[in-house]
Every structure is written in structure tokens, then in C-alpha cells.
Amino acid sequence: LDSAAAGGPVEWIASAHRSEPHPVFDVPAITVLGHRIEHVACVEVNMPPTLRIEGLLGFTFLRHFRIELDYPAGRLTFTRT
């Protein structure tokens, strides 16, 4: 997945310490909670293992949903738009 070295699209990702380019690639389909979204632009970012994060959903996926956060109830609701 070295599209940056091949002149492909990149996304600059900023952290507390620096900003780095990451290659952008197309994932044919992602299914989350039974919702399948096709052709999602993604970037790969290595997260520190101490964070215990398996992945992050970005705007290219989340833009397909209305998102409601009910913090007191501990509920996050995704409604397909």
C-alpha cells in the first residue's frame, strides 16, 4: 500500500508530535453493525498498542449516517441516511 511513493493520493495526519503523509486507498466495502458501505476511502495509521484501538471510523464512512450520542444512557445510535 505504498501509493504515496508511487505518486498516489495521500492524507496528512497530525498527532501531538508531528504531521505525516499516509497513503489513501479504496476499500471495496466495509460492514459495521450490519450496515455495508461500498468504496470507502481509507488511510492506514499505526496506533500505539497501549491505546487498545482496533480501528477508527472516519468521515468517509460516518457521512452515511445520522449519529446520536446519549451519553447518560451509554448509547451511540447510527441511523442510515
Side-chain angles (χ1 to χ4, degrees), residues 50-70:
T50 54
L51 292 179
R52 299 181 359 217
I53 295 174
E54 292 184 27
L56 301 172
L57 296 173
F59 182 72
T60 58
F61 181 85
L62 296 174
R63 69 180 177 180
H64 298 279
F65 300 90
R66 185 184 72 196
I67 301 167
E68 296 178 61
L69 174 60
D70 183 346

Side-chain angles (χ1 to χ4, degrees), residues 6 18-19 22 24-25 32 39 41 47 49-50 56-57 59 63 65 73 77 79 81:
R18 63 184 170 275
S19 181
H22 294 269
V24 177
F25 56 95
V32 176
H39 300 290
M47 303 299 286
T50 54
L56 301 172
L57 296 173
F59 182 72
R63 69 180 177 180
F65 300 90
T77 305
T79 305
T81 57

